[in-house]
Amino acid sequence: KGVVDSADFSLNISREVLQHTRQLKVIASALEKKIKNELLTMQKEDREKYEKFWSAFGTQLKYGVVADYGQHKDVLRDLLLFWSSKENKLTSLKEYVERMPASQEKVYYVCADSVENAARMPQAERVLKAGYEVLYLTVDEDEIVLQMLENAGEGKPFVSVASEDALPVTDEEKANAEQAEKDHKDVLDFAQETLKDKVSKVRISKILRSGAVCLSADGPVTLEMEKYFKKMRGDFPMQAQRVLELNPESSAFQALCAAYETDKDKAATYVEVLYNQALLIADLPLPDPVHYAELVCSLM
């Protein structure tokens, strides 16, 4: 009888604990909805006050998106703010989507260390000139947050302006790029040989317009992800597969081609200078700043 009474007591305790846990979950869910609604109301009706809140707690909301493998991303998506190229102020993802023309299928973003530099990034030029709004991501974890969110709402995916397929490419543009790659194969191979394992590839760029050079990345690890994880953990082994992109229409590339024909040593110097310039644009550290200064001075 004592054993049965003990079992009944344990069962009653378990029921009470489960009931208590369910009640807590209901309370927590109700509080979550209430807090979110209050914040969304503030965001809409008192933007200045909300932006002060965002300035103080925005980082915590972003980490909330990434935490627990993104379990809370749908709750937090509409509370996030990013700088808009078109509005020239902070915008929510919902506001961005509402402004999108019917023909626009993607939400564009560019990573930089400041709003001013984001607007000047050579990779962003073609998207901005096409008239699309671009989100300026100026905090290291921003791109990680967007990747965890997957979309800005209503199924609109995020895409980096550095992606080759960010904008539609005509058959003529594709054919011209392929022809340029063939025409300059020897120069590209020379640049690859000069840089060795500093980059995984040197190629003719399909994303640059007036800019001479930029760095991009092939594979799942982007340059911003590399910077973020190395900042969080200095010995983190993850590294992006760096690609040096060259604009065949630029005077710098034409100078490189001319030097390749007449002076291979000067051509090698040009390649190293262009690579270091691409690092600076990408806000990545120069491996040897003194050597870079010497290279530039040698050409003066």
Side-chain angles (χ1 to χ4, degrees), residues 14-300:
S14 297
R15 287 172 177 166
E16 289 179 10
V17 169
L18 288 173
Q19 183 178 3
H20 185 62
T21 301
R22 285 194 292 267
Q23 289 172 343
L24 287 177
K25 287 182 177 179
V26 171
I27 293 171
S29 178
L31 283 173
E32 182 181 85
K33 291 178 181 177
K34 180 174 178 58
I35 292 171
K36 180 179 178 179
N37 288 336
E38 290 289 338
L39 289 173
L40 289 175
T41 299
M42 185 197 303
Q43 184 190 102
K44 184 177 180 180
E45 298 179 359
D46 192 343
R47 192 53 171 254
E48 183 178 353
K49 186 176 181 180
Y50 185 80
E51 289 186 9
K52 288 181 179 178
F53 163 82
W54 174 256
S55 178
F57 299 104
T59 299
Q60 284 74 17
L61 291 179
K62 291 176 184 177
Y63 282 126
V65 171
V66 180
D68 299 327
Y69 305 98
Q71 290 184 24
H72 314 291
K73 63 182 181 181
D74 292 331
V75 175
L76 298 172
R77 179 183 281 107
D78 291 340
L79 299 176
L80 305 177
L81 297 181
F82 301 96
W83 195 269
S84 161
S85 65
K86 183 164 288 187
E87 297 294 300
N88 199 30
K89 62 182 181 181
L90 291 170
T91 185
S92 70
L93 298 176
K94 184 178 181 180
E95 290 166 341
Y96 180 108
V97 172
E98 288 174 348
R99 288 191 296 269
M100 289 172 63
S103 59
Q104 184 178 341
E105 299 178 352
K106 304 170 183 177
V107 174
Y108 297 102
Y109 71 87
V110 62
C111 301
D113 61 348
S114 68
V115 169
E116 292 75 19
N117 287 339
R120 298 167 57 197
M121 289 292 283
Q123 299 95 314
E125 182 181 1
R126 62 177 180 147
V127 178
L128 290 171
K129 283 192 172 181
Y132 292 113
E133 182 174 358
V134 178
L135 298 176
Y136 293 160
L137 309 187
T138 58
V139 181
D140 289 339
E141 66 268 15
D142 279 352
E143 188 177 41
I144 307 292
V145 171
L146 293 198
Q147 291 195 4
M148 185 62 72
L149 289 173
E150 296 181 339
N151 65 77
E154 299 185 23
K156 301 293 185 180
F158 298 107
V159 63
S160 169
V161 296
S163 173
E164 288 190 352
D165 61 355
L167 292 178
V169 179
T170 66
D171 291 339
E172 181 181 1
E173 289 173 331
K174 185 176 180 181
N176 290 340
E178 291 174 352
Q179 188 60 49
E181 196 82 26
K182 292 178 182 178
D183 293 343
H184 301 296
K185 184 178 185 304
D186 291 345
V187 175
L188 298 176
D189 289 345
F190 173 79
Q192 177 74 71
E193 183 181 347
T194 299
L195 295 174
K196 297 182 171 58
D197 58 355
K198 293 178 182 176
V199 296
S200 62
K201 189 175 183 180
V202 179
R203 68 184 174 210
I204 295 296
S205 180
K206 297 177 183 177
I207 63 176
L208 291 173
R209 288 298 178 263
S210 62
V213 64
C214 73
L215 271 185
S216 61
D218 280 346
V221 182
T222 67
L223 297 173
E224 295 306 312
M225 289 174 65
E226 177 186 327
K227 287 189 284 186
Y228 172 75
F229 285 116
K230 286 189 174 179
K231 180 179 178 181
M232 297 295 291
R233 178 182 157 186
D235 62 341
F236 199 76
M238 184 180 293
Q239 183 168 322
Q241 296 181 35
R242 298 180 180 182
V243 177
L244 184 67
E245 303 212 10
L246 301 173
N247 182 356
E249 303 300 322
S250 69
S251 58
F253 185 79
Q254 292 164 15
L256 170 60
C257 291
Y260 174 75
E261 297 296 334
T262 60
D263 188 339
K264 293 293 193 296
D265 289 338
K266 178 179 280 191
T269 298
Y270 284 163
V271 169
E272 288 198 62
V273 168
L274 287 169
Y275 172 68
N276 279 274
Q277 288 177 342
L279 289 175
L280 289 171
I281 292 171
D283 193 30
L284 289 166
L286 297 182
D288 189 343
V290 174
H291 179 58
Y292 173 62
E294 291 171 348
L295 289 173
V296 173
C297 290
S298 71
L299 297 174
M300 295 175 67

